[in-house]
Amino acid sequence: MKCDCDFVIRDNPRLFAHYDNCRLMWNELNPGKEYPRNNDGTIKLLNKHLLELNVDILYHLGLDTQNYDLPAMFGDVKFVCMGGTKYRMRDFAQYIAELLDLPEKNKKLVNLTKHSQRYAMYKVGPVLSVSHGIGVPSMTTVLQEVIKLLAYAKVKDPIIFRIGTSGGLDIPPGSVVVSSFGLNGNLGKTYDIPVLGKTRQLPSILDSRVCQEVHSLSADNDDFNTYIGGTMGADDFYIGQGRLDGPFCDYTQADKMAFLNTLKDLGVRNIEMEANAFAAYTRAAGIRAGIICVTFLNRLLGDQVTPNKTTLNEWQKRPMIVAGRYIAKYFEDIKIE
Ligand SMILES: O=P(O)(O)O[C@H]1O[C@H](CO)[C@@H](O)[C@H]1O
Ligand SMILES: O=c1cc[nH]c(=O)[nH]1
């Protein structure tokens, strides 16, 4: 499909010649639905009720539109990276500050959400690093406030990554998976959310171009393999992921294996707890997004996470390295243009 959206010209023409959230593809996939972006690439919040607010309080971020100059604080953001823990996201911010040689590399990083005490958010140059906790409700709560923050700050054409951990399917532990789609626990490529007593199904589609570009940056001398594949976002770590080692379990090992093999046949490479909702909400906001997770175990061989802390900490850095490469390349290419 030929893309005629403005972003082709405005964004990096070499690396990002076309992407799935362009206006043309949006219109095709969402007939009659307003495109959630303005012509200058800023985010259009499709909620007219917000116009009635004198001040919008981003409660979990500890920020608001009255007491903070959000465009001054965040207007230069290009990438948002999210992941489960506060420590990982602080380490990631530090890593990016060093990788991009930013002034923040020599400063103590400040948690910008400290007033709310729920999450952690660090800003290093054009990169925001935000923790989202475990599971869909925790992740979507902060993601929605981040989307509003990006809109209020007038950020143009942002890209959001989730960098996380997961259980792999038939790939060696320590591998990295770049998600091509999100799958829910009922094997549908949607995030299903009850709204006013009725379940809505939001498509869990990720930007295929971001996915392929991230994957293309895997290096021959990496000591891990990087795969592309679907990612199941389960609503639970134990029975929700077909484990046999939770406090409840009324199915057999054979049932579990049949389920995991079905996932494999559907092209799923890993299981975590946010992918389908993350894909659905970034998609609904018209924001390009990608998910990059390391696998801590091969679920076809077991359920317990057995590597020691040092190994797990080392492996957790792999999605940071992969996302960091993409971010660094983006800014290198911008300089050359
Ligand atoms: O490592 P994070 O990013 O938290 O991701 C994975 O780890 C948590 C479960 O241990 C879930 O949130 C799952 O999605
Ligand atoms: O198996 C795993 C490992 C990490 N995180 C998950 O959600 N599942």
Side-chain angles (χ1 to χ4, degrees), residues 82-85 88-89 132-136 139 162-167 231-234 236-237 241 243 271-275 292-294 296 305 316:
M82 305 181 77
T85 76
R88 184 190 312 147
M89 300 325 290
H132 62 55
I134 286 190
V136 168
M139 187 280 295
R162 170 172 139 66
I163 51 171
T165 66
S166 62
T231 300
M232 178 179 147
D236 169 63
F237 190 82
Q241 299 189 18
R243 280 187 153 82
I271 306 174
E272 40 84 287
M273 296 178 63
E274 295 86 11
I292 308 165
C293 287
V294 71
F296 276 175
V305 179
Q316 263 195 69

Side-chain angles (χ1 to χ4, degrees), residues 22-271:
C22 76
R23 193 182 303 271
L24 197 73
M25 193 169 283
W26 174 273
N27 291 343
E28 201 153 287
L29 290 172
N30 306 275
K33 210 167 162 218
E34 195 177 349
Y35 186 55
R37 301 285 284 272
N38 298 306
N39 285 339
D40 64 356
T42 53
I43 294 160
K44 195 190 278 183
L45 294 173
L46 299 178
N47 177 2
K48 60 182 184 320
H49 303 290
L50 291 174
L51 300 173
E52 289 158 22
L53 297 177
N54 290 328
V55 49
D56 190 357
I57 297 166
L58 306 178
Y59 168 57
H60 300 88
L61 292 181
L63 296 168
D64 65 65
T65 53
Q66 191 167 57
N67 296 297
Y68 297 87
D69 183 350
L70 299 180
M73 288 171 76
F74 299 103
D76 63 339
V77 167
K78 179 71 201 181
F79 290 96
V80 180
C81 294
M82 305 181 77
T85 76
K86 294 180 178 185
Y87 308 101
R88 184 190 312 147
M89 300 325 290
R90 192 191 50 211
D91 286 353
F92 181 71
Q94 192 64 52
Y95 175 70
I96 290 293
E98 277 156 32
L99 186 72
L100 301 185
D101 197 19
L102 299 169
E104 288 89 346
K105 74 177 182 184
N106 299 318
K107 293 185 190 151
K108 190 174 173 333
L109 294 174
V110 178
N111 175 5
L112 298 169
T113 74
K114 59 179 183 294
H115 297 306
S116 83
Q117 300 186 352
R118 288 275 182 188
Y119 302 94
M121 178 164 75
Y122 302 95
K123 182 173 183 299
V124 285
V127 180
L128 264 190
S129 183
V130 188
S131 73
H132 62 55
I134 286 190
V136 168
S138 177
M139 187 280 295
T140 52
T141 299
V142 69
L143 175 60
Q144 288 175 86
E145 291 185 15
V146 164
I147 291 169
K148 290 208 289 181
L149 175 69
L150 296 175
Y152 292 137
K154 301 197 184 314
V155 168
K156 289 184 180 159
D157 305 321
I159 297 173
I160 308 187
F161 285 119
R162 170 172 139 66
I163 51 171
T165 66
S166 62
L169 287 177
D170 212 15
I171 52 178
S175 301
V176 169
V177 178
V178 188
S179 308
S180 48
F181 60 86
L183 195 83
N184 65 38
N186 288 318
L187 309 186
K189 289 183 183 171
T190 57
Y191 169 48
D192 298 353
I193 178 163
V195 178
L196 306 181
K198 288 198 183 112
T199 298
R200 296 206 190 162
Q201 296 195 307
L202 313 181
S204 290
I205 303 170
L206 284 159
D207 190 297
S208 61
R209 186 151 186 117
V210 168
C211 169
Q212 279 159 23
E213 285 165 356
V214 170
H215 183 255
S216 75
L217 297 176
S218 54
D220 288 343
N221 59 351
D222 279 343
D223 51 2
F224 55 90
N225 287 324
T226 303
Y227 300 86
I228 288 184
T231 300
M232 178 179 147
D235 284 338
D236 169 63
F237 190 82
Y238 292 99
I239 50 175
Q241 299 189 18
R243 280 187 153 82
L244 300 171
D245 60 348
F248 325 107
C249 188
D250 59 5
Y251 47 81
T252 65
Q253 160 83 8
D255 296 335
K256 165 191 148 176
M257 292 310 290
F259 177 67
L260 295 182
N261 281 313
T262 301
L263 289 180
K264 224 183 100 183
D265 293 345
L266 290 170
V268 174
R269 290 273 197 186
N270 63 340
I271 306 174

